[in-house]
């Protein structure tokens, strides 16, 4: 793309300049999951203009190879790995179009870079930017470099699944896709999706009913693995709880559900959910009053973790009672509300082998219900493959009680820690030398591509690290600017150490 199309005002004066320059380009090119063609084509052109070899596989992954710096040809080959796509989340009032519009970061006075109304794409744009900066640095001592840029990480790890054995030559890999400076990651959760689909038989809107759109907004959202233990609210679960309760009250017992939707990404905690319900016109005031009481109750329960929670009738959206309007059948309404209300969400089990880390969890991330049918998605994670399978089967069994189809799909393996990793020892030694303090070793309750790649390349030694990122997978995602410079210092020092 033309450099004239890149808004790089936000990076002026930031170091390292090369990393931030590449990140500004990535912000300018839309890169939702499964739509990475434009950014991959740009990177291919950039690499080939520098005389670097490129290879795009059938899945769409890009591999760029850079020879060792002269004199270091016998140093071990290093794979630098990150993913091209980003989670696309925005606040409901934002006009941003992730398929067309650039990300517009803002520098805060407190030393953080943030996208106020959308995700920033620091996950994993900054990891990609650092690999690109290594590829263009002709002063850095290093052995052979392979930069692997995968696709579709955020929507099912499709790129890593599609990577073929035998393509990578290096036996050491630095994954640049974690979000806490000062920590080296040596293991991660695996997981699977449970997809639920149920056909419906519409019924006409009852005579005398008026329809209203209920909006539950203002939750923090976040990463469905990294933040799952913080007990943040799930907009879908909360709204289902409210509607289910209202439909059981005498004054509102004839409430009918017309539609319900919430969440926009399987791996993000749902921040907003909306329901269209119909009640007798004479009960509209009662509905409004009860929602006010429910808002007070939920704010009392969750105020410490969800101070922005709101539950209102959306006055900005006219619903009314159009001719031919339909509602979800009474039987289907009961199935959806009761089963969603009973379905698990959150931490299922803490790890006994890795203290303080979640072992198994799930996220009810998306739901869409209409009179003609509906669907929802649960994303299950676990440090144990058997744990993920057991919880996924539990969810399938719950839905089977009502004859609703649910299938387990998209399984990916966890990354088993190797505390004796020689690469980890090198990383720790370099960190202590560069920053005069000890680093920490962690296992993360989130999905990294490391586990999938390690299964395809047995014996590959892998360590993951990155800058400090807050709010990944949610609007307002931010990165600590100083941690980016420190991460670059660490990365280049590790490469130099391995080339010695």
């Amino acid at each position: 793309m033309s450099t004239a199309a890149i808004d790089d005002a936000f990076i002026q004066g930031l170091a390292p300049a090369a990393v931030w320059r590449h990140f500004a380009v990535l912000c300018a090119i839309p890169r939702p999951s499964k739509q990475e063609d434009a950014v991959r084509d740009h990177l291919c052109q950039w690499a080939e203009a520098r005389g670097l070899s490129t290879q795009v596989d059938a899945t769409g992954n890009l591999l760029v190879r850079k020879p060792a710096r002269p004199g270091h040809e016998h140093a071990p080959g290093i794979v630098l790995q990150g993913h091209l796509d980003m989670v696309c989340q925005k606040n409901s009032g934002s006009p941003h179009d992730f398929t067309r519009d650039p990300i517009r970061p803002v520098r805060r006075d407190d030393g953080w870079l943030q996208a106020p109304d959308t995700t920033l794409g620091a996950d994993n744009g900054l990891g990609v930017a650092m690999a690109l900066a290594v590829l263009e640095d002709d002063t850095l001592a290093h052995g052979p470099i392979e930069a692997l840029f995968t696709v579709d990480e955020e929507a099912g790890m499709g790129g890593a699944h599609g990577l073929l054995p035998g393509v990578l030559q290096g036996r050491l890999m630095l994954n640049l896709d974690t979000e806490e400076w000062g920590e080296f990651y040596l293991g991660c959760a695996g997981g699977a999706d449970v997809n639920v689909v149920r056909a419906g038989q519409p019924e006409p809107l009852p005579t005398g009913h008026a329809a209203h759109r209920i909006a539950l907004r203002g939750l923090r959202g976040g990463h469905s693995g990294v933040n799952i233990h913080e007990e943040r609210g799930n907009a879908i679960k909360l709204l289902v709880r409210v509607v289910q309760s209202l439909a059981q009250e005498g004054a509102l017992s004839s409430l009918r559900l017309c539609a319900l939707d919430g969440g926009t990404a399987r791996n993000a905690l749902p921040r907003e959910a909306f329901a269209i319900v119909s009640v007798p016109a004479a009960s509209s005031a009662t509905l409004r009053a009860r929602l006010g009481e429910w808002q007070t109750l939920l704010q009392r329960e969750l105020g410490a973790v969800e101070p922005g929670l709101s539950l209102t009738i959306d006055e900005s959206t006219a619903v009314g009672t159009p001719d031919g309007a339909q509602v979800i059948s009474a039987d289907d309404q009961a199935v959806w509300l009761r089963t969603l209300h009973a379905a698990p969400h959150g931490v299922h089990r803490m790890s006994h082998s890795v203290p303080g880390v979640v072992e198994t969890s799930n996220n009810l991330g998306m739901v869409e219900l209409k009179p003609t049918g509906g669907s929802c998605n649960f994303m299950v994670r676990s440090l144990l493959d058997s744990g993920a399978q057991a919880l996924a089967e539990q969810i399938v069994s719950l839905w089977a009680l009502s004859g609703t189809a649910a299938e387990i799909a998209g399984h990916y393996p966890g990354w088993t820690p190797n505390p004796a990793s020689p690469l980890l020892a090198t990383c720790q030694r370099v960190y202590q030398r560069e920053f005069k303090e000890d680093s920490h070793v962690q296992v993360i309750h989130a999905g990294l591509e490391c586990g999938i790649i390690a299964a395809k390349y047995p014996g590959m030694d892998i360590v993951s690290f990155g800058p400090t990122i807050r709010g990944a997978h949610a609007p307002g995602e931010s990165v600590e600017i100083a941690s980016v410079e420190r991460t670059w210092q660490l990365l280049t020092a590790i490469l130099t150490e391995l080339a010695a």
Side-chain angles (χ1 to χ4, degrees):
M1 66 181 297
S2 168
T3 55
I6 301 171
D7 179 6
D8 60 0
F10 72 91
I11 66 169
Q12 297 305 310
L14 296 184
V19 172
W20 288 110
R21 173 166 38 81
H22 285 297
F23 184 63
V25 173
L26 294 172
C27 287
I29 305 175
R31 48 192 177 95
S33 300
K34 305 184 189 299
Q35 300 180 49
E36 304 94 343
D37 291 7
V39 68
R40 184 182 58 241
D41 291 348
H42 166 78
L43 295 184
C44 281
Q45 294 172 13
W46 174 87
E48 290 166 1
R50 297 190 61 82
L52 302 174
S53 69
T54 63
Q55 178 181 342
V56 178
D57 66 17
T59 305
N61 301 312
L62 169 62
L63 181 64
V64 182
R65 288 192 170 97
K66 180 184 181 184
R69 189 177 181 191
H72 300 278
E73 292 83 359
H74 298 294
I78 307 292
V79 179
L80 302 179
Q81 194 265 320
H83 61 86
L84 295 177
D85 59 323
M86 62 175 283
V87 169
C88 297
Q89 290 270 294
K90 65 179 182 178
N91 289 324
S92 58
S94 170
H96 188 91
D97 183 344
F98 283 101
T99 67
R100 182 191 66 218
D101 299 334
I103 301 297
R104 296 180 174 85
V106 174
R107 284 167 68 174
R108 299 187 338 212
D109 293 338
D110 60 357
W112 290 72
L113 185 74
Q114 182 180 47
D117 293 318
T118 68
T119 37
L120 174 63
D123 171 16
N124 184 222
L126 279 167
V128 171
M130 289 194 188
L132 294 172
V134 168
L135 291 174
E136 76 172 14
D137 190 336
D138 294 329
T139 68
L140 181 64
H142 60 76
I145 297 288
E146 295 172 285
L148 174 63
F149 303 116
T150 51
V151 296
D152 195 29
E153 191 268 357
E154 301 288 9
M157 307 230 180
H161 280 299
L163 179 68
L164 295 176
V167 175
L168 301 176
Q169 299 169 2
R171 303 301 296 164
L172 305 177
M173 189 175 97
L174 296 174
N175 168 278
L176 304 173
D177 188 25
T178 46
E179 301 162 6
E180 194 68 48
W181 165 251
E183 296 184 348
F184 292 112
Y185 287 86
L186 206 61
C188 73
D193 289 286
V194 178
N195 299 311
V196 179
V197 178
R198 181 181 176 89
Q201 294 294 325
E203 294 180 358
L205 185 77
T207 302
H209 271 222
H212 303 276
R213 186 172 189 257
I214 302 173
L216 196 150
R217 295 189 176 99
L219 303 189
R220 295 166 63 192
H223 192 294
S224 67
V226 173
N227 303 121
I228 197 72
H229 66 289
E230 297 175 13
E231 299 184 346
R232 300 182 183 187
N234 179 315
I236 297 170
K237 291 287 289 183
L238 292 174
L239 186 55
V240 165
R241 173 186 170 191
V242 171
V243 175
Q244 164 85 347
S245 179
L246 292 175
Q248 294 174 346
E249 297 181 7
L252 296 170
S253 60
S254 60
L255 178 149
R256 299 300 300 274
L257 182 63
C258 307
L260 190 149
D261 67 274
T264 57
R266 52 192 271 287
N267 54 2
L269 301 174
R271 299 170 295 105
E272 301 174 333
F274 306 91
I276 298 177
V277 302
S278 77
V279 296
S283 299
S284 294
T286 301
L287 174 65
R288 194 179 306 275
R290 290 294 292 125
L291 288 175
E293 295 168 4
W294 265 104
Q295 176 176 264
T296 300
L297 174 64
L298 294 177
Q299 288 173 340
R300 185 165 64 245
E301 290 181 357
L302 295 170
V305 68
E306 296 289 4
L309 184 153
S310 71
L311 177 67
T312 61
I313 289 180
D314 193 346
E315 306 289 0
S316 65
T317 303
V319 177
T321 54
D323 292 339
Q326 296 178 321
V327 298
I328 295 172
S329 73
D331 288 344
D332 286 336
Q333 174 176 315
V335 167
W336 281 115
L337 291 180
R338 291 173 182 170
T339 315
L340 286 170
H341 189 44
H345 167 82
V347 175
H348 184 70
R349 178 182 169 92
M350 296 297 293
S351 174
H352 293 285
S353 59
V354 187
V357 175
V358 176
E359 178 197 278
T360 306
S361 74
N362 81 283
N363 177 49
L364 171 54
M366 297 185 293
V367 65
E368 183 179 18
L369 310 182
K370 298 178 180 179
T372 54
S375 63
C376 63
N377 171 271
F378 297 83
M379 186 175 186
V380 179
R381 303 179 188 267
S382 183
L383 300 181
L384 303 174
D385 288 349
S386 60
Q389 185 69 21
L391 181 53
E393 290 175 352
Q394 177 182 329
I395 296 170
V396 170
S397 296
L398 175 65
W399 288 97
L401 294 174
S402 62
T404 302
E407 66 170 4
I408 301 172
H411 173 265
Y412 59 94
W415 172 26
T416 303
N418 175 20
S421 157
L423 179 58
L424 173 64
T426 298
C427 291
Q428 290 177 306
R429 183 174 64 252
V430 171
Y431 183 98
Q432 207 286 330
R433 184 187 69 210
E434 294 290 318
F435 302 103
K436 306 299 186 289
E437 62 183 20
D438 291 334
S439 56
H440 303 280
V441 178
Q442 295 284 358
V443 173
I444 190 171
H445 188 70
L448 297 175
E449 294 162 297
C450 304
I452 301 172
I453 295 172
K456 295 173 181 286
Y457 290 83
M460 179 175 278
D461 199 353
I462 306 175
V463 172
S464 179
F465 63 92
T468 298
I469 297 172
R470 293 288 180 264
H473 297 192
E477 176 190 351
S478 58
V479 61
E480 185 187 28
I481 293 170
S483 72
V484 174
E485 185 170 9
R486 291 193 295 266
T487 303
W488 173 251
Q489 178 182 343
L490 175 63
L491 174 60
T492 55
I494 292 170
L495 292 176
T496 299
E497 178 80 4
L498 292 170

